[in-house]
Amino acid sequence: HIVGLQETRHKHLVDRMNDLYHIVGAPATREGRDGVQLWISKTLPIYEGGPLIQQRDITIVEANPTALIVKLRTLRWRCLLITGRAPHSGHGLMHAEHYWHNISVKIRQLSRTWPTFFLGDTNGHLGAVMTDAVGNHHPRQENDSGTAFHQWLLEHHLFAPATFDQHHQGDTHCTFVSPDGDHSTRIDYVAVPNQLHYEELCTWVETDIDTLTQRVDHVPVLCHLTVKQLVGDAKQARRLGRPLQFGLGDTFGQTFQDPAMLHALHDAIQMPPWCTDPHATADTLAAQTQQAVQHLLPKVRRWPRKTHISDETWQ
């Protein structure tokens, strides 16, 4: 469905009118370095029985020679797609952290409600430090690039399936071969959201896809996944002209369909005396309801509407 390419060296997008893929990307630098692209299938629907993806379903959020962020929005599914090539460890930890911070700034507002998928070259070694984001399948001592990528995964609640033995298949795990051919390592990853419920999730290194130019450099890592997603009324979504969105309002409505919750809410609210001023009555009822809801429902973090506001300013 989705292919991410890094270091294309292309100054212009090639074969954009082909029959198989929508191609979006950012050109290489003036010196012919880097360049990134995403190919999104024109022939495979995202879900069974769904419509084919159209060009209008794809919106570029950010495009530069080393990073590409795209919104994919269909009638019943939406997600963020990110590909790129992060700096290698020779540039130092600060440079790597700056790269991932710039991506975070661009996606912070959307990534809270849009599932986010990364596929690209991180130049990072992972596995020696285990968290929810990284397992110990074929562990390597983290380098600076790996540490910065690991922090970014945790920040956005993503994980790299290839680092978990229950998800990675096959004997091959390395994706990069050194120029002299003396050693190989894993620096290319697909990262997926923690919050989705996966019916299938597996990664493998595909050696049958030819990416050669003059020598073996990178070999691609593939990820296959299926999720079961509950969605609302498609007719309503079509009438509104936007995909279905699920937020606190849905949680509130579903929670208070429970009779026990309704009784708890009823018990928490005391009617003021009949002689109380109507405006004061309304204020009292609103305050009691707000306190009851905050007690009965888990606290929801408030997020700044402006994405450029720093955490310090927001606090």
Side-chain angles (χ1 to χ4, degrees):
H1 289 77
I2 298 161
V3 182
L5 296 93
Q6 308 83 44
E7 294 187 278
T8 64
R9 312 289 173 88
H10 285 180
K11 292 292 187 67
H12 305 282
L13 295 181
V14 178
D15 197 22
R16 295 182 64 180
M17 303 307 294
N18 74 87
D19 295 330
L20 298 177
Y21 289 97
H22 302 287
I23 298 179
V24 293
T29 63
R30 185 176 301 177
E31 297 78 18
R33 299 173 182 168
D34 289 306
V36 288
Q37 294 178 15
L38 277 167
W39 297 2
I40 301 174
S41 178
K42 295 178 178 179
T43 62
L44 299 173
I46 290 291
Y47 53 91
E48 184 177 350
L52 297 179
I53 299 170
Q54 305 297 318
Q55 187 70 44
R56 64 175 179 271
D57 300 329
I58 303 166
T59 305
I60 294 177
V61 177
E62 171 70 9
N64 63 63
T66 60
L68 177 64
I69 305 171
V70 163
K71 291 192 297 185
L72 177 61
R73 178 165 56 184
T74 65
L75 181 63
R76 290 178 177 265
W77 174 256
R78 64 181 188 179
C79 64
L80 285 176
L81 303 171
I82 305 170
T83 190
R85 186 186 72 88
H88 61 74
S89 284
H91 291 287
L93 178 60
M94 185 177 299
H95 197 74
E97 288 179 336
H98 181 70
Y99 174 87
W100 294 109
H101 172 74
N102 287 339
I103 292 179
S104 294
V105 169
K106 298 296 182 181
I107 69 171
R108 186 168 287 128
Q109 193 71 18
L110 288 168
S111 63
R112 294 168 190 139
T113 55
W114 292 54
T116 301
F117 298 86
F118 170 82
L119 50 165
D121 178 2
T122 70
N123 278 301
H125 300 159
L126 296 175
V129 180
M130 292 179 57
T131 65
D132 290 341
V134 174
N136 66 344
H137 184 59
H138 291 287
R140 289 290 304 275
Q141 186 64 40
E142 280 191 1
N143 56 4
D144 287 343
S145 297
T147 298
F149 178 53
H150 196 161
Q151 292 171 350
W152 183 81
L153 291 175
L154 292 170
E155 177 187 357
H156 295 283
H157 307 290
L158 308 179
F159 71 101
T163 64
F164 293 86
D165 54 10
Q166 67 265 38
H167 297 309
H168 193 74
Q169 299 180 349
D171 297 329
T172 304
H173 67 279
C174 295
T175 64
F176 171 75
V177 180
S178 63
D180 55 16
D182 286 346
H183 74 277
S184 57
T185 188
R186 179 182 61 197
I187 62 175
D188 304 278
Y189 301 91
V190 175
V192 299
N194 271 318
Q195 298 93 331
L196 296 181
H197 299 287
Y198 299 96
E199 294 192 324
E200 298 176 274
L201 176 60
C202 63
T203 59
W204 68 97
V205 174
E206 183 56 80
T207 56
D208 288 340
I209 296 178
D210 184 6
T211 60
L212 294 179
T213 50
Q214 296 177 346
R215 62 176 179 85
V216 176
D217 183 13
H218 289 257
V219 289
V221 58
L222 273 64
C223 179
H224 170 78
L225 61 90
T226 60
V227 299
K228 182 169 285 187
Q229 178 98 353
L230 294 178
V231 296
D233 184 358
K235 292 182 179 178
Q236 180 187 15
R238 191 179 299 111
R239 184 170 65 252
L240 294 175
R242 59 178 184 269
L244 296 167
Q245 301 181 16
F246 303 93
L248 178 60
D250 303 285
T251 304
F252 186 93
Q254 294 165 7
T255 300
F256 288 102
Q257 289 176 3
D258 182 355
M261 296 293 284
L262 284 174
H263 285 297
L265 181 61
H266 179 269
D267 293 341
I269 297 175
Q270 302 297 322
M271 285 294 296
W274 66 269
C275 58
T276 306
D277 176 84
H279 299 289
T281 298
D283 292 340
T284 301
L285 292 175
Q288 291 182 14
T289 304
Q290 185 177 21
Q291 291 176 0
V293 169
Q294 289 175 348
H295 176 72
L296 295 171
L297 288 178
K299 184 177 180 181
V300 178
R301 181 179 176 186
R302 295 175 61 234
W303 298 96
R305 182 170 59 87
K306 301 292 187 180
T307 58
H308 66 272
I309 294 178
S310 67
D311 292 338
E312 293 79 9
T313 302
W314 175 241
Q315 292 301 326

